[in-house]
Amino acid sequence: PPSGVSLRAQPPGGQVALGARLELSCAVAAGTGPLSFSWHRGGSGTPLGTGPRLELRHAGDNDSGHYRCRVSDGDSVAESDPLNVTVL
């Protein structure tokens, strides 16, 4: 099963100016087979995107919040700790 899921933000710290670009990337320390990624904000079950990276091209006020990356190998799911994104 996937494990050790971590998030990184560019710019670091998850603070981004209004209208600027923010990229979140998801890394998995361990896991075999085809992995699928999904991105979630707050308690929303609807994915914001799929794949190991999520790009917010023009960050808006409603993009602030806690982001998580969820990784699945088809049988089990692992989730990152939340990363707080602040739009300044």
Side-chain angles (χ1 to χ4, degrees), residues 54-70:
L54 178 70
E55 183 182 2
L56 304 175
R57 286 171 203 263
H58 305 285
D61 289 325
N62 59 348
D63 289 321
S64 290
H66 289 87
Y67 286 73
R68 282 186 172 86
C69 171
R70 197 173 286 164

Side-chain angles (χ1 to χ4, degrees), residues 23-52:
E23 184 175 285
L24 301 177
S25 54
C26 187
V28 183
T32 58
L35 299 175
S36 63
F37 296 82
S38 63
W39 291 89
H40 305 268
R41 183 176 64 231
S44 171
T46 308
L48 299 168
T50 56

